[in-house]
Short mmCIF file of all heavy atoms in Angstrom, two decimals:
data_model
loop_
_atom_site.label_atom_id
_atom_site.label_comp_id
_atom_site.label_asym_id
_atom_site.label_seq_id
_atom_site.Cartn_x
_atom_site.Cartn_y
_atom_site.Cartn_z
N ILE X 1 20.78 -26.36 44.36
CA ILE X 1 20.39 -25.00 44.70
C ILE X 1 21.65 -24.19 45.05
O ILE X 1 22.40 -24.59 45.94
CB ILE X 1 19.40 -24.98 45.87
CG1 ILE X 1 18.12 -25.73 45.49
CG2 ILE X 1 19.07 -23.55 46.28
CD1 ILE X 1 17.12 -25.84 46.63
N PRO X 2 21.90 -23.08 44.40
CA PRO X 2 23.09 -22.27 44.72
C PRO X 2 23.07 -21.81 46.17
O PRO X 2 22.07 -21.22 46.62
CB PRO X 2 22.98 -21.08 43.75
CG PRO X 2 22.10 -21.57 42.65
CD PRO X 2 21.13 -22.51 43.29
N PRO X 3 24.12 -22.06 46.94
CA PRO X 3 24.14 -21.64 48.35
C PRO X 3 24.09 -20.13 48.52
O PRO X 3 23.69 -19.63 49.57
CB PRO X 3 25.46 -22.22 48.87
CG PRO X 3 26.30 -22.44 47.66
CD PRO X 3 25.36 -22.75 46.55
N GLU X 4 24.46 -19.38 47.47
CA GLU X 4 24.45 -17.93 47.58
C GLU X 4 23.05 -17.39 47.82
O GLU X 4 22.88 -16.35 48.47
CB GLU X 4 25.01 -17.30 46.30
CG GLU X 4 26.49 -17.60 46.04
CD GLU X 4 26.69 -18.95 45.39
OE1 GLU X 4 25.66 -19.59 45.05
OE2 GLU X 4 27.85 -19.38 45.23
N LEU X 5 22.03 -18.09 47.32
CA LEU X 5 20.66 -17.61 47.51
C LEU X 5 20.26 -17.64 48.98
O LEU X 5 19.70 -16.67 49.50
CB LEU X 5 19.70 -18.47 46.68
CG LEU X 5 19.86 -18.41 45.16
CD1 LEU X 5 18.89 -19.36 44.48
CD2 LEU X 5 19.66 -16.99 44.65
N ASN X 6 20.56 -18.76 49.65
CA ASN X 6 20.24 -18.86 51.08
C ASN X 6 21.09 -17.91 51.91
O ASN X 6 20.62 -17.35 52.91
CB ASN X 6 20.43 -20.31 51.55
CG ASN X 6 19.28 -21.21 51.13
OD1 ASN X 6 18.14 -20.97 51.48
ND2 ASN X 6 19.59 -22.25 50.39
N GLU X 7 22.35 -17.74 51.52
CA GLU X 7 23.21 -16.83 52.27
C GLU X 7 22.72 -15.40 52.16
O GLU X 7 22.70 -14.65 53.15
CB GLU X 7 24.64 -16.95 51.74
CG GLU X 7 25.29 -18.30 52.02
CD GLU X 7 26.64 -18.45 51.33
OE1 GLU X 7 27.05 -17.49 50.63
OE2 GLU X 7 27.28 -19.50 51.49
N ALA X 8 22.31 -15.00 50.96
CA ALA X 8 21.79 -13.65 50.78
C ALA X 8 20.50 -13.43 51.57
O ALA X 8 20.30 -12.37 52.17
CB ALA X 8 21.56 -13.38 49.30
N ALA X 9 19.63 -14.46 51.56
CA ALA X 9 18.38 -14.35 52.31
C ALA X 9 18.64 -14.27 53.81
O ALA X 9 17.96 -13.54 54.54
CB ALA X 9 17.47 -15.54 51.99
N ALA X 10 19.63 -15.04 54.29
CA ALA X 10 19.97 -15.00 55.72
C ALA X 10 20.50 -13.63 56.11
O ALA X 10 20.19 -13.11 57.19
CB ALA X 10 21.00 -16.09 56.03
N ILE X 11 21.31 -13.03 55.24
CA ILE X 11 21.82 -11.68 55.52
C ILE X 11 20.69 -10.67 55.59
O ILE X 11 20.71 -9.73 56.40
CB ILE X 11 22.85 -11.28 54.44
CG1 ILE X 11 24.09 -12.18 54.54
CG2 ILE X 11 23.24 -9.81 54.57
CD1 ILE X 11 25.09 -11.97 53.43
N ASP X 12 19.66 -10.87 54.75
CA ASP X 12 18.51 -9.96 54.76
C ASP X 12 17.57 -10.20 55.93
O ASP X 12 16.57 -9.50 56.07
CB ASP X 12 17.73 -10.11 53.45
CG ASP X 12 18.51 -9.56 52.26
OD1 ASP X 12 19.40 -8.72 52.49
OD2 ASP X 12 18.23 -9.99 51.12
N GLY X 13 17.87 -11.20 56.76
CA GLY X 13 17.08 -11.43 57.96
C GLY X 13 16.06 -12.54 57.86
O GLY X 13 15.25 -12.73 58.78
N ALA X 14 16.04 -13.33 56.78
CA ALA X 14 15.08 -14.44 56.64
C ALA X 14 15.49 -15.62 57.52
O ALA X 14 16.66 -15.99 57.56
CB ALA X 14 15.00 -14.88 55.18
N ASN X 15 14.53 -16.17 58.25
CA ASN X 15 14.83 -17.34 59.07
C ASN X 15 14.78 -18.60 58.22
O ASN X 15 14.51 -18.55 57.01
CB ASN X 15 13.86 -17.44 60.26
CG ASN X 15 12.41 -17.45 59.82
OD1 ASN X 15 12.06 -18.01 58.78
ND2 ASN X 15 11.54 -16.83 60.61
N ARG X 16 15.00 -19.77 58.84
CA ARG X 16 15.07 -21.03 58.09
C ARG X 16 13.73 -21.35 57.42
O ARG X 16 13.70 -21.80 56.28
CB ARG X 16 15.48 -22.17 59.02
CG ARG X 16 16.95 -22.14 59.42
CD ARG X 16 17.32 -23.42 60.11
NE ARG X 16 18.75 -23.47 60.41
CZ ARG X 16 19.36 -24.53 60.96
NH1 ARG X 16 18.65 -25.62 61.28
NH2 ARG X 16 20.66 -24.50 61.19
N ALA X 17 12.64 -21.12 58.13
CA ALA X 17 11.33 -21.43 57.56
C ALA X 17 11.05 -20.55 56.34
O ALA X 17 10.53 -21.02 55.32
CB ALA X 17 10.24 -21.24 58.61
N GLN X 18 11.41 -19.29 56.44
CA GLN X 18 11.19 -18.38 55.31
C GLN X 18 12.08 -18.73 54.12
O GLN X 18 11.64 -18.66 52.97
CB GLN X 18 11.44 -16.94 55.77
CG GLN X 18 10.39 -16.41 56.74
CD GLN X 18 10.77 -15.06 57.32
OE1 GLN X 18 11.96 -14.73 57.46
NE2 GLN X 18 9.76 -14.26 57.67
N ARG X 19 13.32 -19.12 54.42
CA ARG X 19 14.22 -19.50 53.31
C ARG X 19 13.72 -20.76 52.63
O ARG X 19 13.80 -20.90 51.40
CB ARG X 19 15.64 -19.71 53.84
CG ARG X 19 16.30 -18.45 54.37
CD ARG X 19 17.81 -18.59 54.44
NE ARG X 19 18.22 -19.67 55.32
CZ ARG X 19 18.47 -19.51 56.62
NH1 ARG X 19 18.33 -18.31 57.18
NH2 ARG X 19 18.87 -20.53 57.35
N PHE X 20 13.20 -21.69 53.42
CA PHE X 20 12.68 -22.92 52.82
C PHE X 20 11.44 -22.63 51.97
O PHE X 20 11.30 -23.16 50.87
CB PHE X 20 12.33 -23.94 53.90
CG PHE X 20 11.71 -25.20 53.38
CD1 PHE X 20 12.49 -26.20 52.82
CD2 PHE X 20 10.33 -25.38 53.41
CE1 PHE X 20 11.92 -27.36 52.32
CE2 PHE X 20 9.74 -26.53 52.91
CZ PHE X 20 10.55 -27.52 52.36
N ARG X 21 10.56 -21.78 52.47
CA ARG X 21 9.31 -21.50 51.78
C ARG X 21 9.52 -20.74 50.48
O ARG X 21 8.89 -21.04 49.46
CB ARG X 21 8.37 -20.72 52.70
CG ARG X 21 7.05 -20.33 52.04
CD ARG X 21 6.20 -19.52 53.00
NE ARG X 21 4.97 -19.08 52.35
CZ ARG X 21 4.06 -18.29 52.92
NH1 ARG X 21 4.25 -17.85 54.17
NH2 ARG X 21 2.97 -17.93 52.27
N HIS X 22 10.42 -19.76 50.49
CA HIS X 22 10.54 -18.86 49.35
C HIS X 22 11.71 -19.19 48.43
O HIS X 22 11.77 -18.67 47.31
CB HIS X 22 10.69 -17.42 49.85
CG HIS X 22 9.49 -16.91 50.60
ND1 HIS X 22 8.30 -16.61 49.99
CD2 HIS X 22 9.31 -16.69 51.93
CE1 HIS X 22 7.42 -16.20 50.91
NE2 HIS X 22 8.00 -16.23 52.09
N ILE X 23 12.63 -20.05 48.88
CA ILE X 23 13.80 -20.37 48.04
C ILE X 23 13.87 -21.87 47.76
O ILE X 23 13.81 -22.30 46.60
CB ILE X 23 15.11 -19.89 48.71
CG1 ILE X 23 15.09 -18.37 48.85
CG2 ILE X 23 16.31 -20.33 47.88
CD1 ILE X 23 16.30 -17.82 49.58
N THR X 24 14.00 -22.67 48.82
CA THR X 24 14.22 -24.11 48.64
C THR X 24 13.03 -24.80 47.99
O THR X 24 13.19 -25.52 47.01
CB THR X 24 14.52 -24.76 50.00
OG1 THR X 24 15.63 -24.09 50.61
CG2 THR X 24 14.85 -26.23 49.82
N PHE X 25 11.86 -24.58 48.54
CA PHE X 25 10.67 -25.29 48.04
C PHE X 25 10.37 -24.98 46.58
O PHE X 25 10.13 -25.90 45.79
CB PHE X 25 9.46 -24.97 48.93
CG PHE X 25 8.27 -25.81 48.63
CD1 PHE X 25 8.20 -27.13 49.06
CD2 PHE X 25 7.19 -25.30 47.92
CE1 PHE X 25 7.10 -27.93 48.78
CE2 PHE X 25 6.09 -26.08 47.63
CZ PHE X 25 6.05 -27.40 48.07
N PRO X 26 10.38 -23.71 46.15
CA PRO X 26 10.12 -23.45 44.72
C PRO X 26 11.17 -24.06 43.79
O PRO X 26 10.84 -24.52 42.69
CB PRO X 26 10.14 -21.91 44.63
CG PRO X 26 9.82 -21.45 46.00
CD PRO X 26 10.44 -22.45 46.92
N LEU X 27 12.44 -24.08 44.22
CA LEU X 27 13.49 -24.61 43.37
C LEU X 27 13.50 -26.14 43.34
O LEU X 27 14.23 -26.74 42.56
CB LEU X 27 14.85 -24.09 43.84
CG LEU X 27 15.07 -22.58 43.63
CD1 LEU X 27 16.43 -22.15 44.18
CD2 LEU X 27 14.96 -22.22 42.16
N LEU X 28 12.71 -26.76 44.22
CA LEU X 28 12.59 -28.21 44.22
C LEU X 28 11.38 -28.68 43.40
O LEU X 28 11.03 -29.86 43.45
CB LEU X 28 12.44 -28.74 45.65
CG LEU X 28 13.71 -28.79 46.51
CD1 LEU X 28 13.36 -29.26 47.91
CD2 LEU X 28 14.75 -29.72 45.89
N ALA X 29 10.78 -27.77 42.64
CA ALA X 29 9.57 -28.12 41.89
C ALA X 29 9.83 -29.25 40.89
O ALA X 29 9.02 -30.16 40.73
CB ALA X 29 9.03 -26.89 41.16
N GLY X 30 10.98 -29.21 40.22
CA GLY X 30 11.30 -30.26 39.26
C GLY X 30 11.45 -31.62 39.91
O GLY X 30 10.90 -32.63 39.45
N ALA X 31 12.20 -31.66 41.02
CA ALA X 31 12.39 -32.93 41.75
C ALA X 31 11.06 -33.43 42.30
O ALA X 31 10.79 -34.64 42.30
CB ALA X 31 13.41 -32.74 42.87
N MET X 32 10.23 -32.51 42.77
CA MET X 32 8.94 -32.91 43.33
C MET X 32 8.03 -33.48 42.26
O MET X 32 7.30 -34.46 42.49
CB MET X 32 8.28 -31.71 44.01
CG MET X 32 6.98 -32.03 44.72
SD MET X 32 6.37 -30.66 45.71
CE MET X 32 7.68 -30.53 46.93
N THR X 33 8.04 -32.89 41.07
CA THR X 33 7.21 -33.39 39.98
C THR X 33 7.59 -34.82 39.62
O THR X 33 6.72 -35.69 39.46
CB THR X 33 7.36 -32.49 38.74
OG1 THR X 33 6.97 -31.16 39.07
CG2 THR X 33 6.50 -33.00 37.60
N VAL X 34 8.89 -35.08 39.51
CA VAL X 34 9.36 -36.43 39.18
C VAL X 34 8.98 -37.41 40.29
O VAL X 34 8.48 -38.52 40.02
CB VAL X 34 10.89 -36.42 38.96
CG1 VAL X 34 11.40 -37.84 38.79
CG2 VAL X 34 11.25 -35.58 37.76
N SER X 35 9.18 -37.02 41.54
CA SER X 35 8.89 -37.92 42.66
C SER X 35 7.40 -38.23 42.76
O SER X 35 7.01 -39.37 43.02
CB SER X 35 9.38 -37.28 43.96
OG SER X 35 10.78 -37.13 43.96
N VAL X 36 6.57 -37.22 42.55
CA VAL X 36 5.12 -37.43 42.62
C VAL X 36 4.66 -38.38 41.52
O VAL X 36 3.86 -39.30 41.77
CB VAL X 36 4.38 -36.09 42.54
CG1 VAL X 36 2.89 -36.31 42.32
CG2 VAL X 36 4.59 -35.28 43.80
N MET X 37 5.17 -38.20 40.32
CA MET X 37 4.78 -39.08 39.21
C MET X 37 5.21 -40.52 39.47
O MET X 37 4.44 -41.46 39.29
CB MET X 37 5.37 -38.56 37.91
CG MET X 37 4.78 -37.26 37.41
SD MET X 37 5.38 -36.75 35.79
CE MET X 37 4.69 -38.04 34.75
N LEU X 38 6.46 -40.70 39.92
CA LEU X 38 6.96 -42.05 40.17
C LEU X 38 6.23 -42.71 41.34
O LEU X 38 5.90 -43.90 41.28
CB LEU X 38 8.46 -42.00 40.45
CG LEU X 38 9.35 -41.60 39.27
CD1 LEU X 38 10.81 -41.52 39.70
CD2 LEU X 38 9.21 -42.60 38.13
N SER X 39 5.97 -41.96 42.38
CA SER X 39 5.27 -42.54 43.54
C SER X 39 3.83 -42.89 43.19
O SER X 39 3.29 -43.90 43.67
CB SER X 39 5.33 -41.59 44.73
OG SER X 39 4.73 -40.35 44.42
N MET X 40 3.20 -42.10 42.34
CA MET X 40 1.83 -42.40 41.92
C MET X 40 1.79 -43.69 41.09
O MET X 40 0.94 -44.56 41.32
CB MET X 40 1.26 -41.24 41.10
CG MET X 40 -0.12 -41.50 40.51
SD MET X 40 -1.39 -41.73 41.76
CE MET X 40 -1.58 -40.04 42.35
N ILE X 41 2.71 -43.81 40.16
CA ILE X 41 2.77 -45.03 39.35
C ILE X 41 3.04 -46.25 40.22
O ILE X 41 2.43 -47.31 40.06
CB ILE X 41 3.84 -44.89 38.25
CG1 ILE X 41 3.43 -43.79 37.26
CG2 ILE X 41 4.05 -46.21 37.51
CD1 ILE X 41 4.50 -43.45 36.25
N GLY X 42 4.00 -46.11 41.16
CA GLY X 42 4.30 -47.22 42.06
C GLY X 42 3.13 -47.60 42.93
O GLY X 42 2.89 -48.79 43.19
N ALA X 43 2.36 -46.61 43.40
CA ALA X 43 1.21 -46.90 44.26
C ALA X 43 0.10 -47.61 43.49
O ALA X 43 -0.57 -48.49 44.03
CB ALA X 43 0.69 -45.59 44.86
N LEU X 44 -0.09 -47.23 42.23
CA LEU X 44 -1.16 -47.85 41.44
C LEU X 44 -0.88 -49.31 41.12
O LEU X 44 -1.81 -50.09 40.89
CB LEU X 44 -1.38 -47.07 40.15
CG LEU X 44 -2.03 -45.69 40.30
CD1 LEU X 44 -2.01 -44.94 38.98
CD2 LEU X 44 -3.47 -45.83 40.79
#
């Protein structure tokens, strides 16, 4: 994740929870998809 995105959001007044919700979490969609698929297969 480019650090510039979080820095810009912090300058605009976003707190950590807001930055995680609107920047970090959406950009982790690819990693989350892979992890969910692998964990599901492992659990089965």
Side-chain angles (χ1 to χ4, degrees):
I1 299 176
E4 295 82 6
L5 296 177
N6 282 302
E7 292 173 0
I11 294 174
D12 290 338
N15 56 35
R16 287 190 175 184
Q18 291 172 330
R19 294 199 300 269
F20 176 80
R21 178 182 177 184
H22 297 288
I23 297 176
T24 304
F25 189 76
L27 292 178
L28 284 177
M32 184 171 296
T33 301
V34 173
S35 296
V36 168
M37 291 186 66
L38 293 177
S39 59
M40 175 64 73
I41 294 172
L44 289 172

